Amino acid sequence: MRLGSNNFMKLAGFVFASICAWYLGSLFAYIIPKDSLSATIDNIQKVGQKPILMAPPPKRQKCDHWSPCPPGSYAYRLLSGGGKEKMAKICFEDEQLISEEKKNAGRGINIAIVDYDTGKCTDAKYFDMWEGEFSGGMTDFIKKAPQGSLLLMVTHDDGSTKLKKNAKKAIADLGSKEIQNIQFRSSWAFIAAKGFKLPDNLEKEKINHSSKMNRYSGWPAEIQIEGCIPRNLR
């Protein structure tokens, strides 16, 4: 069967167009880098897909609180030691008053004194309650804290073995309900005010005793208390 002139022209045009398309494709493939070509193809494939919305990372709060304290308040967090290696920490207004990094945390009872009006730390020490006789010195340290002070206390390792009755009374006079119950290697944290009263709903004290279910061999899990102290209490 013989092709008509019109059909022949169509066939010739189709062949010519195919050759041109093949040539141009080869030319572009040679000129355009593979990485750019792959990225272009990926972008074309993503057209029509639903956009993925990424939530911004949460803003860090003072003393690593989950949510910010209200304006006109102080942020605090007390963390007891865990086992022998994890040292106690006392944070106030995002400043580490006692910590391993500051090299002022130690075995026993760690205490920081803060001037309530300024929010500044006036003194910070730890008192070993396993070796030596430091219970009397700690009692004097507490009693000499000026009126209008915040006292933040937390244990590391053991805070009870050489803790005397007069020291317990000095802490109980500040409002502690657990100091009389402290045991060997108890994890304990406490915050108190001298010369004024903290709000009743504030987290002020927590204790965790050693038991057979200890997180660390021979030591209970560390505990923490945190909160926001209004600045208009005096």
Side-chain angles (χ1 to χ4, degrees):
M1 182 177 179
R2 298 180 61 185
L3 294 175
S5 60
N6 288 338
N7 290 335
F8 178 79
M9 292 297 293
K10 289 180 180 179
L11 179 60
F14 174 76
V15 172
F16 178 75
S18 299
I19 293 172
C20 289
W22 171 83
Y23 177 77
L24 289 174
S26 299
L27 182 61
F28 283 132
Y30 177 77
I31 295 174
I32 300 174
K34 291 184 178 179
D35 292 342
S36 299
L37 187 60
S38 298
T40 303
I41 294 172
D42 289 341
N43 290 333
I44 293 173
Q45 291 175 342
K46 289 178 181 178
V47 173
Q49 292 182 357
K50 292 183 178 179
I52 300 175
L53 300 178
M54 301 295 291
K59 182 181 178 182
R60 183 186 172 279
Q61 305 300 333
K62 291 180 179 179
C63 292
D64 293 323
H65 283 202
W66 281 106
S67 56
C69 283
S73 60
Y74 294 122
Y76 71 89
R77 171 177 280 184
L78 284 69
L79 179 66
S80 71
K84 268 192 174 183
E85 305 302 326
K86 294 186 177 182
M87 305 299 289
K89 294 182 180 181
I90 295 178
C91 178
F92 190 85
E93 274 297 278
D94 217 25
E95 180 183 354
Q96 293 292 339
L97 307 185
I98 286 182
S99 68
E100 184 177 8
E101 291 75 17
K102 292 197 72 170
K103 302 186 186 318
N104 64 348
R107 180 176 59 190
I109 297 179
N110 297 257
I111 305 177
I113 299 175
V114 174
D115 184 306
Y116 173 77
D117 294 327
T118 65
K120 299 300 182 182
C121 180
T122 58
D123 210 345
K125 292 182 180 179
Y126 72 89
F127 299 88
D128 194 339
M129 292 296 144
W130 175 249
E131 289 182 331
E133 297 296 335
F134 301 103
S135 184
M138 186 184 74
T139 304
D140 292 340
F141 184 74
I142 292 171
K143 289 183 175 180
K144 289 178 180 177
Q147 295 291 309
S149 295
L150 292 167
L151 290 91
L152 302 91
M153 310 183 191
V154 68
T155 56
H156 172 69
D157 196 349
D158 178 45
S160 68
T161 297
K162 294 206 170 185
L163 185 64
K164 307 300 183 184
K165 289 183 178 180
N166 58 346
K168 288 184 178 181
K169 183 179 184 305
I171 296 173
D173 288 345
L174 292 171
S176 171
K177 295 181 172 65
E178 298 291 353
I179 193 60
Q180 301 293 348
N181 302 321
I182 195 169
Q183 301 172 11
F184 177 63
R185 289 180 176 172
S186 292
S187 293
W188 173 71
F190 175 58
I191 182 170
K194 194 170 183 180
F196 62 102
K197 187 177 183 298
L198 294 175
D200 292 334
N201 62 349
L202 200 69
E203 187 176 31
K204 304 181 195 68
E205 189 173 26
K206 190 180 289 186
I207 196 167
N208 187 21
H209 300 299
S210 182
S211 70
K212 294 180 180 179
M213 302 299 291
N214 284 336
R215 174 179 295 177
Y216 308 100
S217 178
W219 289 268
E222 61 266 59
I223 57 170
Q224 73 175 26
I225 59 174
E226 65 180 35
C228 306
I229 303 173
R231 301 192 188 196
N232 58 353
L233 300 178
R234 275 169 40 93

